[in-house]
Structures are given as C-alpha cells and as structure tokens.
C-alpha cells in the first residue's frame, strides 16, 4: 500500500489588474493564506477517485484521461477529469490515485477556488505518477484543465499566482513574458477581503462575454491583444479604454509599492474599481457599495477582485486599523444592502507545495 502524500495550493486575491491578463497585460496579485489541500494515495487500478469535504458524491475517472471532462458527474468532478486529461496529454502515465480534498478557499467568491483546486490536484497527480511539472508549466496545465472542464476562457493570473506566490509578498506578473517580481508587502499595510454576500460562478457570469467584447476591440484595431494598444486608439471605446488604463495603473501601483510610496496605492485601486464598473461593466451595485463602505471606514483603497459580478472586494488599509475597518464596513454594508458580508484579513502566502 502506497503512503499518503499531501499537497496544498492557495487561492489568490487580485490587488490590481482586472480583465487584462488575457490581453497579455500586467497584474499584481497575492496568493492568500487559504488553501485547497489534497491528500493522495497512488493506486494500481488505473482509476482516479476523489472525495471532497465541500462537495457531495464521489468522482471516479480513468487515469488515462479518456473520460470527457464536461460530461463527468458529480459536477465538481469535471475539474478532476480536466486535470487528468491535460496531464495525460502532457505524457503522464495512467497511474491511479485516491484523492481526498478539502478547501479553505470560499467557492464563488472571486478568490480562485477552482484554480487552487486544479493546481493542488495536478500536483498530487503528477507526484503519484512520478511526473514532474513545475512553475509556469504547472500553471498552464491547471488553466487548460479549467478550459477543458468548464469552457470558461480564463486567463493565466490565478494559476500563476497560486503556483508562484511568496509569503508576505505580492506577485507582479507580466502575462506576456511571464516575468515576475515578488513585491514585499510592508508590515504597516493590511489586506482585507470582504465578501459581498452575492455569490457568483465564473461559468454563470458574463465573464466570457466581456472577454469577447474586449477582444473584439483589439481585432477592430488590427491587434492581437490590447497590450499593444495606445490610449489614443481606445479613448472613445470603453472596453479598450479599461484595458489600456488598467495596464498603466498596474505599472504605477508596482512602482509605488517598490518605492514605498504607500499613499499612491489606494487611489489607483479606486480608479481601477471605477474603470471596472464604468468602462468594463463587471461590477454590481453591492460591490460598489462595499467599496464605498470600506473607504468610509478608513481603507486606503478598495476594488472588486476576480472577474466581478459578485463575490469579493479587496481593500488595503493601515494594519493597526484592520479590526475597526472591518467592523464599521460590516455594519454599514449590512444596513445599506440587507446582505451579510464576510471579512478576512489575508496575508501573502507561498505558492503551491507538498506538505511534508
Ligand atoms: C478570473 C479569471 C482570470 C482573470 C480575472 C479577471 O479570475 O480566471 O484569468 O481574467 O477573472 O481579471
């Protein structure tokens, strides 16, 4: 009987750089101290089976990747079948495994629970078969698994952050070259994540539609992606204007963080939220209200995180005020919307790994 080996992959929060990873833009994200954990035992029956503490039912797919991911049941097993299929295509031997999965990354919150799930499963399954996949290759495999499982045309920032995060640092990622810089988060800043109480799944959201709309802008300009557009070209085209101005905000944010100019960070996040709301139209009234409540409560900046349309807002504030900001925001948001928010203080975490 093989031994049990345990793997973890963190969720992420996107500090700035929304809806531009698929335009080969720049993003700043944080792998957070909330993990998907997979305990795995290799087996010799050629089957990958999985149980989850969050989802009902048992998953059982062929280890050679022959099972169609979207057709896999229960539904959460699509991601397992997606990972199995992608790894088989990459040359992983069809070694079976029993997986037991648990997650501290809230689902449907914009914190990349599915990217973390796929990265953790990919780590466990590669390990069981003695197949090595690391860094960007692991992130791209997890992204392909998501595409295969759900058809959601997600970019690469979630998986790269889950794989490449570093404790107490944010990750600056160039989604064209995959150049990375780990930016230390100063101790005087706290990062807050507040769930609006409005759930959403990427699959059920207009994410793919927004992506298609902004890709149409690139085509209209004769470009492959909006990374190559200038502000003059998109000044009167809201989707394009969002992409080009957001890319500039990410670079300004990165420079400010590198140089310790902390008071420049908040306004850039707020401008990012406004552009996501007005030009990209990926916000909802609850997220706008939550951003306002956070700022009124003393946050330096806040913006929706992830694809939008519900889920969480991320904010930064003075570390010593974290408790007071959370308390005031919760009160005001509840009174304004009748919804129950959930708040967490998050820290930068290390990328996915085996737990010894
Ligand atoms: C989702 C996708 C990412 C990215 C964000 C929006 O989280 O998975 O690739 O496009 O939305 O920035």
């Amino acid at each position: 009987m093989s031994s049990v080996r345990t793997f973890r992959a963190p969720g992420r929060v996107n500090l700035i750089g929304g809806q531009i990873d698929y335009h080969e833009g720049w993003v700043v994200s944080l792998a957070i101290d909330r993990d998907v954990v997979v305990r795995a035992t290799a087996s010799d029956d050629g089957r990958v089976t999985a149980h989850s503490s969050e989802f009902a039912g048992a998953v059982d797919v062929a280890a050679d990747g022959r099972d169609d991911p979207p057709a896999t049941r229960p539904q959460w097993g699509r991601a397992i079948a997606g990972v199995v299929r992608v790894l088989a295509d990459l040359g992983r031997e069809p070694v079976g495994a029993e997986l037991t999965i648990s997650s501290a990354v809230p689902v449907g919150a914009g914190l990349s629970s599915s990217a973390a799930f796929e990265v953790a499963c990919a780590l466990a399954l590669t390990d069981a078969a003695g197949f090595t996949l690391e860094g960007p290759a692991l992130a791209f495999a997890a992204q392909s698994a998501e595409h295969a499982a759900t058809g959601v045309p997600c970019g690469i920032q979630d998986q790269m952050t889950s794989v490449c995060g570093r404790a107490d640092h944010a990750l600056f990622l160039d989604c064209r070259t995959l150049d990375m810089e780990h930016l230390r988060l100063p101790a005087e800043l706290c990062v807050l994540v507040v769930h609006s109480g409005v759930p959403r799944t990427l699959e059920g959201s207009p994410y793919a539609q927004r992506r298609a709309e902004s890709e149409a802008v690139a085509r209209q300009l004769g470009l492959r992606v909006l990374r190559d557009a200038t502000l003059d070209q998109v000044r009167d085209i809201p989707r394009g204007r969002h992409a080009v101005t957001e890319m500039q905000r990410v670079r300004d944010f990165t420079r400010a963080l590198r140089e310790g100019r902390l008071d420049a960070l908040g306004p850039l996040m707020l401008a990012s939220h406004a552009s996501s709301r007005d030009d990209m139209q990926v916000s909802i009234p609850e997220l706008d209200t939550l951003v306002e409540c956070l700022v009124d409560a003393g946050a330096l900046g806040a913006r929706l995180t992830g694809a939008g349309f519900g889920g969480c807002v991320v904010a930064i504030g003075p570390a010593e005020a974290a408790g007071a900001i959370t308390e005031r925001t919760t009160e005001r948001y509840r009174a304004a919307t009748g919804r129950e928010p959930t708040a967490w203080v998050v820290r930068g975490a290390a990328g996915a790994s085996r737990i010894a």
Side-chain angles (χ1 to χ4, degrees):
M1 169 99 192
S2 326
S3 58
V4 181
R5 288 161 70 89
T6 307
F7 302 84
R8 54 163 282 278
R12 69 96 190 85
V13 70
N14 177 218
L15 288 179
I16 195 161
Q19 310 285 341
I20 53 173
D21 59 345
Y22 50 76
H23 280 298
E24 299 181 3
W26 298 268
V27 299
V28 177
S29 292
L30 200 70
I32 57 175
D33 47 351
R34 295 192 148 248
D35 289 333
V36 171
V37 173
V38 178
R39 304 179 74 236
T41 314
S43 64
D44 53 13
D45 60 359
R47 311 291 304 172
V48 173
T49 61
H51 287 89
S52 151
S53 53
E54 278 68 45
F55 305 111
V59 176
D60 184 349
V61 296
D64 63 5
R66 88 178 90 108
D67 289 313
D68 183 35
T72 302
R73 294 295 176 269
Q75 223 190 10
W76 64 272
R78 294 178 305 168
I80 306 267
V83 173
V84 171
R85 160 86 46 102
V86 167
L87 295 181
D89 289 348
L90 289 170
R92 177 190 181 275
E93 296 292 325
V95 176
E98 287 167 24
L99 312 178
T100 307
I101 306 165
S102 61
S103 175
V105 187
V107 174
L111 299 177
S112 294
S113 59
S114 37
F117 184 97
E118 286 146 358
V119 168
C121 289
L123 265 185
L125 289 173
T126 49
D127 178 79
F131 184 76
T132 306
L133 209 53
E134 285 169 343
L138 174 61
F140 279 106
Q143 181 200 31
S144 303
E146 177 69 23
H147 293 172
T150 64
V152 171
C154 62
I156 194 61
Q157 65 153 301
D158 305 346
Q159 298 79 2
M160 281 293 289
T161 310
S162 182
V163 169
C164 301
R166 182 180 291 176
D168 297 320
H169 288 71
L171 180 74
F172 168 73
L173 173 68
D174 179 331
C175 298
R176 168 169 282 174
T177 62
L178 299 186
D179 284 343
M180 279 179 257
E181 182 180 341
H182 291 101
L183 302 162
R184 175 166 281 288
L185 286 169
E188 59 263 44
L189 275 192
C190 65
V191 179
L192 301 169
V193 173
V194 189
H195 197 301
S196 60
V198 183
R200 66 110 189 94
T201 61
L202 212 48
E203 229 181 322
S205 80
Y207 172 76
Q209 185 192 333
R210 286 295 181 282
R211 176 170 176 162
E213 289 161 3
S214 76
E215 283 171 340
V217 175
R219 272 199 306 280
Q220 189 185 324
L221 299 173
L223 302 171
R224 197 171 52 77
V225 286
L226 290 174
R227 162 87 170 239
D228 301 313
T230 63
L231 186 54
D232 278 342
Q233 286 177 299
V234 296
R235 216 176 281 278
D236 299 319
I237 317 173
R239 304 285 188 262
R241 188 168 58 215
H242 169 76
V244 171
T245 58
E246 185 75 352
M247 292 196 205
Q248 187 58 47
R249 282 186 288 270
V250 176
R251 283 173 294 165
D252 293 346
F253 186 94
T254 303
R255 206 167 305 125
L257 194 50
R258 228 185 252 139
E259 293 167 3
R261 286 183 289 108
L262 304 187
D263 41 339
L265 303 176
L268 287 165
M269 290 173 78
L270 290 169
S272 168
H273 182 79
S275 176
S276 303
R277 179 191 62 210
D278 301 335
D279 283 352
M280 201 59 197
Q281 294 183 302
V282 294
S283 190
I284 56 169
E286 285 87 345
L287 295 178
D288 301 338
T289 301
L290 192 46
V291 166
E292 279 164 30
C293 292
L294 278 155
V295 172
D296 287 348
L300 302 170
R303 62 179 291 279
L304 61 81
T305 188
F309 309 109
C312 291
V313 159
V314 60
I316 57 170
E320 74 278 2
I325 295 172
T326 308
E327 215 167 286
R328 268 185 243 144
T329 299
T330 302
E331 233 165 71
R332 286 185 197 191
Y333 178 77
R334 196 189 283 137
T337 64
R339 293 194 182 264
E340 192 54 42
T342 314
W344 304 274
V345 176
V346 296
R347 301 189 60 140
S353 59
R354 181 161 95 88
I355 302 174

